[in-house]
């Protein structure tokens, strides 16, 4: 939603935890607003490694966590065959070395 004070207060609550514990995140229902600010607060406050994962969108990305390849997907974006998210996921899965990272988590 577009209430930036709420976004800031939420982040302040978890700042101590997030400073010491690795976290990964994806957008959800609070990022879609009726005021036209879709994804604005989320994208500015919660950067992710989408570029390192060869993703053209901050809405989906992947990362390595020990023996796992973790894919963060967006339920608010098209994901069917031919969609940008599906095309990225197909490439991402093809690039995983299952000998090094045998676990796949989405």
């Amino acid at each position: 939603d577009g209430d930036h004070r709420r976004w800031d207060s939420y982040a302040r609550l978890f700042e101590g935890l997030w400073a010491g514990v690795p976290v990964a995140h994806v957008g959800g229902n609070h990022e879609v607003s009726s005021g036209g600010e879709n994804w604005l607060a989320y994208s500015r406050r919660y950067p992710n490694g989408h570029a390192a994962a060869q993703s053209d969108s901050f809405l989906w990305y992947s990362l390595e966590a020990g023996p796992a390849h973790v894919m963060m997907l967006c339920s608010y974006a098209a994901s069917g065959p031919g969609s940008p998210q599906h095309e990225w996921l197909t490439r991402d899965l093809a690039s995983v070395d299952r000998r090094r990272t045998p676990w796949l988590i989405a």
Side-chain angles (χ1 to χ4, degrees), residues 10 43-44 73 81 86 95 101:
Y10 174 78
S43 66
R44 299 296 188 264
L73 304 173
H86 185 273
S95 73
T101 50

Side-chain angles (χ1 to χ4, degrees), residues 17-79:
L17 175 65
W18 292 338
V21 176
V23 296
H25 43 80
V26 294
N29 64 320
H30 292 284
E31 287 68 68
V32 179
S33 73
S34 59
E37 295 183 348
N38 294 340
W39 304 103
L40 181 63
Y42 171 80
S43 66
R44 299 296 188 264
R45 288 169 176 83
Y46 301 100
N48 61 47
H50 73 279
Q54 307 300 311
S55 172
D56 292 333
S57 174
F58 67 91
L59 299 177
W60 52 84
Y61 62 100
S62 63
L63 55 96
E64 304 293 317
H69 183 78
V70 182
M71 296 149 289
M72 310 300 283
L73 304 173
C74 180
S75 61
Y76 286 88
S79 59

Side-chain angles (χ1 to χ4, degrees), residues 53-54 62 64 69 88-98 100-101:
Q54 307 300 311
S62 63
E64 304 293 317
H69 183 78
W88 169 81
L89 182 58
T90 300
R91 290 190 310 273
D92 187 65
L93 286 169
S95 73
V96 177
D97 179 353
R98 297 294 299 275
R100 193 172 62 100
T101 50

